[in-house]
């Protein structure tokens, strides 16, 4: 089972959140100069801490968070005022993005030929671009790759199990090695 927790952080008090997170996350957040980006980073940390029961995690060389004891696997993402945390007993990747106008043109630059075909064949190319983009980023997070690797694979032949759902003006996508049940849980932090 993959549980995807989602929270709106538009009202998050960054000063209070700084007191709730680990020293490492606090340091990272304080290096972020943009207030909105800092709130998102803190919101993701507070959400993960809430659902995992600990703020004591490490990050890989590519930035993938993990619990040192591997008692659970998790992945984080944020966009605009929303943060998500996917939690599973097996490796997982998640991404959240807002659908943007005129984004479909970016498929030429970042997508494999079969993915480009899906974008252009759909009734809403911008939504389809966003869906595929979030699938690709979730795969990158699952495999602990870098965003620069986004052109190196197609989600249609990546050899992983994908889940994607529209959530208002966003797409939430997650990726795992098998096809577990997925539950989306709205929460407050």
């Amino acid at each position: 089972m993959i549980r995807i927790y989602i929270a709106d952080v538009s009202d998050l008090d960054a000063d209070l959140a700084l007191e709730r997170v680990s020293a490492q996350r606090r340091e990272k957040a304080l290096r972020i100069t943009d207030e909105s980006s800092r709130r998102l980073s803190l919101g993701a940390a507070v959400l993960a801490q809430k659902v995992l029961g600990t703020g004591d995690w490490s990050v890989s060389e590519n930035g993938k968070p993990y619990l040192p004891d591997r008692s659970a696997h998790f992945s984080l993402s944020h966009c605009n005022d929303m943060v998500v945390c996917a939690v599973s007993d097996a490796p997982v990747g998640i991404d959240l993005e807002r659908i943007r106008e005129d984004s479909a043109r970016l498929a030429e630059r970042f997508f494999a030929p079969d993915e480009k075909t899906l974008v252009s064949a759909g009734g809403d190319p911008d939504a389809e671009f966003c869906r595929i983009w979030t699938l690709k980023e979730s795969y990158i997070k699952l495999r602990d790759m870098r965003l620069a690797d986004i052109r190196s694979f197609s989600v249609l032949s990546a050899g992983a199990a994908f889940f994607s759902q529209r959530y208002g003006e966003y797409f939430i996508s997650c990726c795992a090695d098998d096809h577990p049940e997925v539950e989306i849980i709205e929460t407050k932090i």
Side-chain angles (χ1 to χ4, degrees):
M1 160 82 63
I2 297 174
R3 288 187 171 84
I4 299 173
Y5 298 88
I6 185 165
D8 182 331
V9 296
S10 58
D11 294 330
L12 181 72
D13 184 321
D15 291 330
L16 288 176
L18 280 168
E19 296 174 16
R20 295 172 61 185
V21 299
S22 70
Q24 178 185 9
R25 292 300 291 192
R26 188 176 312 113
E27 244 178 69
K28 177 184 177 184
L30 289 172
R31 287 191 305 265
I32 301 170
T33 56
D34 177 68
E35 186 178 325
S36 176
S37 297
R38 179 183 293 167
R39 187 180 66 249
L40 281 172
S41 177
L42 286 167
V46 170
L47 178 61
Q49 187 169 316
K50 176 182 178 176
V51 301
L52 295 169
T54 181
D56 184 27
W57 63 78
S58 301
V59 293
S60 73
E61 185 178 310
N62 289 330
K64 181 178 178 160
Y66 66 92
L67 294 172
D69 66 1
R70 308 284 183 182
S71 57
H73 297 268
F74 72 106
S75 184
L76 299 167
S77 186
H78 51 70
C79 181
N80 291 16
D81 290 328
M82 304 300 288
V83 295
V84 291
C85 179
V87 180
S88 178
D89 58 355
V92 63
I94 192 159
D95 191 45
L96 168 77
E97 296 290 339
R98 186 176 60 81
I99 301 166
R100 293 177 177 93
E101 286 186 35
D102 298 324
S103 59
R105 62 184 168 71
L106 296 172
E108 274 306 312
R109 186 170 168 200
F110 295 108
F111 287 3
D114 55 356
E115 295 166 334
K116 292 176 202 175
T117 299
L118 282 178
V119 171
S120 62
D124 186 347
D126 292 327
E128 187 62 6
F129 172 83
C130 186
R131 185 183 75 83
I132 294 171
W133 182 271
T134 58
L135 291 172
K136 288 178 85 70
E137 278 211 47
S138 71
Y139 182 80
I140 285 169
K141 291 177 181 183
L142 172 71
R143 298 289 183 237
D144 195 14
M145 299 164 67
R146 297 171 300 120
L147 188 56
D149 298 321
I150 201 159
R151 293 179 198 88
S152 69
F153 65 93
S154 167
V155 294
L156 299 175
S157 57
F162 292 98
F163 166 86
S164 188
Q165 181 172 317
R166 193 161 179 169
Y167 186 85
E169 62 184 309
Y170 296 87
F171 263 100
I172 301 171
S173 295
C174 72
C175 181
D177 284 320
D178 60 8
H179 292 277
E181 186 178 331
V182 175
E183 178 182 16
I184 296 178
I185 303 162
E186 294 179 6
T187 189
K188 295 196 182 293
I189 54 172

